[in-house]
């Protein structure tokens, strides 16, 4: 369709600077492109055990009443989350995935006179929501690759140095995606003490349920102490409900009130509400998911030690390998083996591949495919 109008020039300036989010390649797309079947996708940090069985059962009820709008307040799910976490419902804001909540936070606290701070290699959604509202990106240098404990990790002094009078938001993913790196309790707490109280700090805990380390913080414990703190969580990862899109923010009730003002009225659908509520209660599935991931991480650590593969330290449900050469051809070669992983050149890591931890047999298949394409 031809037009004399330059629609990029017509867009607001922040959007002109945006690059669209690159999702993991869908299985169906690879089937169409290469005509192969039996594809293994380890590209989007999805749960290899599937969705919580309790959530699947709970879908039957809302399926009977699809003609009705969902509960726009999400009353029951918020009450269930509040009870589970020992908080008040008024502290919770539901989103169509936690990305939706991140977008609401940016719309409430940023505009073209303000800036958001986050780290190099941080989650790709932070620049998107920031630029979409015309705010300035302030990107802090991450730890260098030869750092003694946390290469590629968020560097808190560098983040703090980027905060000034224009800064209204700091985004921190703990653990971070796509690196898997994390911040310890004491360091992160000291950082929060240093941040001015009129700067909102978002701690994105999308993977928190997977983390076993005793020095890993639970940012919810700091909500009383820091009214400027927002914690985000999701049902997409350990609960296995990525396809339904549901996540939430936990904050001071006054902050939640602001977020609710920009929230679209029915942003979480009735299937997602029912499934998430049931999944919250599925302790057995959660336990099994953590065990599978812990064993899978160890399987990868062992394979890396055996093969001499380098990786970024991780506590998530994924591992990011340093291929020591351009990763794009390796990604393509893995696709031809029927294995989808995630190239992360768009994050400034063109030699790395991010791989989701799968079941034992999935990990074995991916490790073997990787050995093959690295040797070719
Ligand atoms: C996967 C992920 C999310 C979750 O996104 P949803 O919109 O809830 O599916 C949020 N933050 C990070 C860092 C992630 O990796």
């Amino acid at each position: 369709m031809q037009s004399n109008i330059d629609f990029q020039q017509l867009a607001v300036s922040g959007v002109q600077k945006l690059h669209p989010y690159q999702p993991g390649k869908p299985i169906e797309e690879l089937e169409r492109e290469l005509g192969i079947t039996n594809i293994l996708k380890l590209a989007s940090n999805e749960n290899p055990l599937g969705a919580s069985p309790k959530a699947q059962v709970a879908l039957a009820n809302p399926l009977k009443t699809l003609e009705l709008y969902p509960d726009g307040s999400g009353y029951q799910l918020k009450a269930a989350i509040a009870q589970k976490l020992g908080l008040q419902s008024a502290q919770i804001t539901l989103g169509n995935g936690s990305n939706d909540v991140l977008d609401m936070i940016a719309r409430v606290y940023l505009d073209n006179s303000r800036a958001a701070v986050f780290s190099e290699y941080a989650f790709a959604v932070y620049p998107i929501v920031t630029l979409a509202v015309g705010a300035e990106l302030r990107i802090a240098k991450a730890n260098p690759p030869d750092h003694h404990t946390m290469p590629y990790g968020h560097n808190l002094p560098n983040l703090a140095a980027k905060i000034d009078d224009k800064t209204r938001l700091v985004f921190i993913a703990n653990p971070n995606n796509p690196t898997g790196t994390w911040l310890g309790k004491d360091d992160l707490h000291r950082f929060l003490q240093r941040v001015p109280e009129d700067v909102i700090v978002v701690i994105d805990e999308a993977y928190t349920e997977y983390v076993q380390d005793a020095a890993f913080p639970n940012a919810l414990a700091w909500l009383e102490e820091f009214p400027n703190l927002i914690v985000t969580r999701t049902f997409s990862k350990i609960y296995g409900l990525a396809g339904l899109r549901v996540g939430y923010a936990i904050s001071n009730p006054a902050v939640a009130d602001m977020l609710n003002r920009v929230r679209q009225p029915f942003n979480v659908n009735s299937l997602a509400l029912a499934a998430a509520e049931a999944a919250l209660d599925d302790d057995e599935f959660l336990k099994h998911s953590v065990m599978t991931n812990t064993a899978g991480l160890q399987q990868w650590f062992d394979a890396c030690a055996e093969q001499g593969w380098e990786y970024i330290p991780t506590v998530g449900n994924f591992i990011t390998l340093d291929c020591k050469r351009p990763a794009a051809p390796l990604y393509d070669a893995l696709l031809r083996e029927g294995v989808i992983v995630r190239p992360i050149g768009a994050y400034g890591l063109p030699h790395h591949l991010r791989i989701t931890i799968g079941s034992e047999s999935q990990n074995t298949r991916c490790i073997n495919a990787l050995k093959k394409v690295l040797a070719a």
Side-chain angles (χ1 to χ4, degrees):
M1 258 181 282
Q2 288 298 320
S3 165
N4 293 327
I5 298 168
D6 183 336
F7 288 103
Q8 183 169 341
Q9 281 301 318
L10 202 58
V12 294
S13 65
V15 173
Q16 290 188 34
K17 291 177 221 149
L18 264 178
H19 301 284
Y21 180 80
Q22 296 171 356
K25 191 187 249 325
I27 290 173
E28 297 76 12
E29 190 178 302
L30 186 60
E31 278 174 354
R32 280 197 305 274
E33 286 174 3
L34 296 185
I36 56 176
T37 53
N38 187 25
I39 290 166
L40 171 60
K41 183 185 178 207
L42 296 173
S44 302
N45 302 341
E46 292 146 340
N47 191 327
L49 301 180
S52 146
K54 283 196 178 181
Q56 295 183 52
V57 170
L59 289 172
N61 257 330
L63 265 182
K64 289 179 218 147
T65 53
L66 290 179
E67 73 285 7
L68 300 178
Y69 276 101
D71 173 3
S73 73
Y75 178 87
Q76 282 203 74
L77 176 57
K78 287 204 291 194
I81 294 169
Q83 198 193 8
K84 178 103 187 170
L85 302 178
L87 306 157
Q88 304 159 32
S89 285
Q91 293 178 269
I92 298 165
T93 308
L94 299 179
N96 192 272
S98 55
N99 289 341
D100 186 29
V101 177
L102 296 171
D103 192 55
M104 287 181 229
I105 296 168
R107 282 190 289 137
V108 169
Y109 291 106
L110 296 175
D111 66 13
N112 60 10
S113 69
R114 300 176 177 197
V117 168
F118 50 90
S119 176
E120 193 182 12
Y121 317 129
F123 187 42
V125 168
Y126 311 151
I128 294 178
V129 299
T130 301
L131 287 173
V133 294
E136 185 189 327
L137 304 179
R138 294 265 175 84
I139 300 174
K141 270 284 191 206
N143 289 336
D146 61 355
H147 190 265
H148 53 292
T149 50
M150 203 57 74
Y152 302 95
H154 288 10
N155 181 295
L156 292 171
N158 289 352
L159 282 165
K162 289 281 181 191
I163 299 173
D164 67 8
D165 291 348
K166 268 185 84 175
T167 308
R168 281 292 159 273
L169 267 186
V170 179
F171 288 109
I172 290 177
N174 202 35
N176 182 49
N177 167 22
T179 56
T181 52
W182 69 100
L183 294 163
K185 213 179 275 184
D186 296 342
D187 292 340
L188 192 48
H189 186 256
R190 261 193 304 274
F191 174 80
L192 288 169
Q193 287 174 317
R194 283 183 63 182
V195 175
E197 56 192 6
D198 59 354
V199 175
I200 303 279
V201 180
V202 179
I203 300 185
D204 178 345
E205 295 190 333
Y207 301 95
T208 194
E209 297 89 350
Y210 282 112
V211 187
Q212 300 296 293
D213 192 318
F216 187 80
N218 172 1
L220 296 179
W222 297 327
L223 283 165
E224 286 282 335
E225 188 179 355
F226 303 107
N228 56 330
L229 175 62
I230 304 178
V231 182
T232 61
R233 294 195 174 177
T234 182
F235 288 93
S236 298
K237 302 288 157 58
I238 202 161
Y239 293 100
L241 300 178
L244 284 175
R245 315 300 305 126
V246 50
Y248 56 98
I250 313 109
S251 67
N252 188 300
V255 171
D257 176 35
M258 291 301 125
L259 300 181
N260 263 301
R261 295 183 189 200
V262 300
R263 189 176 61 83
Q264 296 297 330
F266 304 103
N267 63 330
V268 184
N269 69 69
S270 52
L271 299 176
L273 288 171
E277 188 186 340
L280 260 190
D281 221 21
D282 204 341
D283 292 334
E284 201 181 323
F285 180 73
L286 233 66
K287 218 160 79 188
H288 191 193
S289 299
V290 171
M291 278 169 50
T292 303
N293 191 61
T294 304
L297 278 171
Q298 193 57 51
Q299 189 183 354
W300 271 100
F301 295 154
D302 292 346
C304 288
E306 195 185 295
Q307 300 297 321
W309 296 339
E310 272 187 34
Y311 55 91
I312 301 177
T314 178
V315 287
N317 66 342
F318 56 93
I319 186 165
T320 298
L321 302 181
D322 182 352
C323 304
K324 305 279 177 187
R325 53 170 131 152
L330 296 169
Y331 166 70
D332 287 332
L334 285 170
L335 290 181
R336 290 191 293 274
E337 298 297 316
V339 179
I340 310 174
V341 298
R342 193 68 161 269
I344 50 174
Y347 285 89
L349 295 168
H351 287 187
H352 288 75
L353 288 176
R354 193 195 72 194
I355 302 171
T356 302
I357 306 301
S359 66
E360 186 182 354
S361 62
Q362 291 175 337
N363 297 332
T364 299
R365 179 173 166 193
C366 187
I367 289 163
N368 287 336
L370 196 60
K371 282 188 212 168
K372 181 173 166 187
V373 303
L374 280 167

